[in-house]
Amino acid sequence: MPRTSRAPLPFEVWALVAGAFAVALGYGVVAPAIPQFALEFGVSKFAASAIVSAFALMRLVSAPFAGWIVARIGERLTYTIGILIVALSTGATALAADYTQFIVLRGAGGVGSAMFTVAATALLVKVSPPDSRGRVASLNAAGFLLGGLLGPVFGGIVAGFGLRAPFVFYFLTLLVAAAVVAIALRRSTFAGGPATGATDAAPLGLAEALRVPQYRSLLLSVFAFGWASFGVRISVIPIFVAVVYGGDAADAAWVLAGYAAGNALLIFPSGRWTDTVGRKPLLVTGMAVLAASYFVFPASPSLWAAIALMAVAGAGSALVNPGQQAVLADVLDQRPGGNVVAAYSMMTDLGGVLGPLIAGAILDLAGFGWAFGVTAALIVAALIGWVLVRDLAPANRSPED
């Protein structure tokens, strides 16, 4: 097939990628410390993993509100206000005196996180050229992943100053992200205020979107992805490192860095393949790799083996992530759809809420093998969902190709 020339991507994409990098850098530093900081208050493993769920729960219940705010004040202000809420709650977390304060402050951060996540996703979908939706998704993911790769490296250093220091570092990187996006998007005709955009098409309602088989498969997929990647990976793996290997926050950070490294290796070609080969082959292959990685992870004989397995899981995640966002853009097809984007975000967060809670409960009752096995089974269910639907034709191919 001949190559097609592509116009430069809109500047809004690059601004959001820069913001994503700053957010992920700080989160990569703080993530390994979150459950271990909770354990310092003398709580159970279940309670420690629930810290991650509290953040995701508040993101979940706040997503419809975030979509409503975007429709009224635009993506730029919604993003900026949301990220400042996360920054303030994170800075206060460094001063938490007990478990109750810790979980309340993390929950408050989830409200702000829902606001800036829905705003960023809605804007990226809105400005993505039809023939570059996978590329835009991979660039956005790459911003997060580069930050996620460097974050745990910095995290090992920052954690040396105590378990409160990573929260201070994250507070500072969030301020940087807010400043970058607020300044860069101040003249954007897409993000400036309500009812802006390049299309006069009627909004796509959630009920209409749910009649699209690919959208239903997408919701199951992002639920499983949120459960595994944003829930179990962040909450249970640091506990696994501490219990099985006797490791500290720095050791957990290296395991999470392995995931980011594997992700970084494939994220750019994955976006290109998503636009040329199609969404479905990448989604099915990536889900298969993820399921296998999580299933065998509890058998890791050493810290180095755990890092290697997380690198493989990260590679699988890189195959999945651009395809999911590209399918969302395909379904919307440049039509406004705040509720459709919010439902996409909510299903990711629902997985992030239930993953740590259920996996944490299983961990206390039956051990790591069952906790990771249930996670792998859920990913397989999402894989089957993609197998059963027709692939949406890439934008640079005709449906007959």
Side-chain angles (χ1 to χ4, degrees):
M1 181 186 302
R3 289 181 179 271
T4 57
S5 60
R6 293 175 179 172
L9 295 177
F11 75 91
E12 289 92 347
V13 172
W14 300 106
L16 291 170
V17 169
F21 169 76
V23 171
L25 178 65
Y27 189 70
V29 168
V30 80
I34 290 172
Q36 295 194 7
F37 186 43
L39 291 174
E40 292 290 305
F41 295 118
V43 299
S44 68
K45 300 184 191 71
F46 173 79
S49 63
I51 290 292
V52 178
S53 293
F55 185 88
L57 175 62
M58 293 308 298
R59 278 177 48 97
L60 172 66
V61 300
S62 302
F65 168 74
W68 182 83
I69 290 292
V70 168
R72 279 151 183 79
I73 66 175
E75 287 88 351
R76 182 175 67 89
L77 280 176
T78 305
Y79 183 103
T80 304
I81 294 170
I83 210 166
L84 288 176
I85 291 173
V86 183
L88 292 174
S89 64
T90 300
T93 296
L95 305 176
D98 55 39
Y99 177 81
T100 301
Q101 291 180 12
F102 187 24
I103 198 167
V104 168
L105 288 168
R106 288 299 295 163
V111 177
S113 180
M115 291 175 64
F116 83 74
T117 299
V118 170
T121 302
L123 183 56
L124 281 171
V125 168
K126 186 190 296 183
V127 303
S128 295
D131 65 343
S132 297
R133 286 167 177 163
R135 181 184 171 204
V136 168
S138 68
L139 281 171
N140 184 55
F144 278 106
L145 295 170
L146 181 58
L149 178 61
L150 295 177
V153 176
F154 281 99
I157 300 172
V158 175
F161 295 93
L163 286 175
R164 296 177 187 268
F167 296 93
V168 177
F169 186 93
Y170 190 31
F171 166 74
L172 296 174
T173 60
L174 287 167
L175 293 183
V176 170
V180 167
V181 173
I183 294 170
L185 298 185
R186 67 188 184 280
R187 293 189 178 92
S188 172
T189 58
F190 289 95
T196 60
T199 177
D200 294 325
L204 178 66
L206 181 58
E208 183 180 353
L210 287 171
R211 291 195 289 271
V212 179
Q214 290 82 0
Y215 184 68
R216 296 196 299 268
S217 292
L218 176 64
L219 294 183
L220 174 59
S221 182
V222 296
F223 173 78
F225 197 77
W227 176 299
S229 295
F230 304 131
V232 171
R233 178 173 64 92
I234 299 301
S235 64
V236 177
I237 286 178
I239 297 173
F240 179 86
V241 170
V243 172
V244 176
Y245 306 130
D248 55 16
D251 293 322
W254 283 111
V255 176
L256 297 182
Y259 181 94
N263 213 316
L265 285 175
L266 288 185
I267 192 61
F268 287 117
S270 175
R272 183 172 66 253
W273 296 334
T274 296
D275 284 330
T276 55
V277 176
R279 321 310 191 200
K280 182 174 176 177
L282 275 294
L283 289 165
V284 170
T285 303
M287 286 292 183
V289 172
L290 274 174
S293 301
Y294 276 89
F295 182 75
V296 302
F297 183 83
S300 304
S302 67
L303 183 65
W304 286 108
I307 293 172
L309 274 173
M310 277 297 101
V312 174
S317 174
L319 298 177
V320 171
N321 201 15
Q324 291 182 147
Q325 186 173 309
V327 170
L328 176 64
D330 291 336
V331 171
L332 286 168
D333 198 22
Q334 297 187 313
R335 295 170 62 183
N339 288 335
V340 176
V341 175
Y344 169 88
S345 177
M346 289 173 69
M347 288 302 290
T348 305
D349 292 330
L350 182 61
V353 169
L354 296 180
L357 289 174
I358 296 177
I362 294 172
L363 178 58
D364 282 332
L365 294 172
F368 289 103
W370 279 98
F372 283 98
V374 169
T375 300
L378 181 59
I379 298 171
V380 170
L383 184 159
I384 294 171
W386 287 119
V387 169
L388 295 178
V389 299
R390 179 181 62 84
D391 196 4
L392 292 178
N396 61 345
R397 300 173 63 188
S398 67
E400 291 80 16
D401 285 345

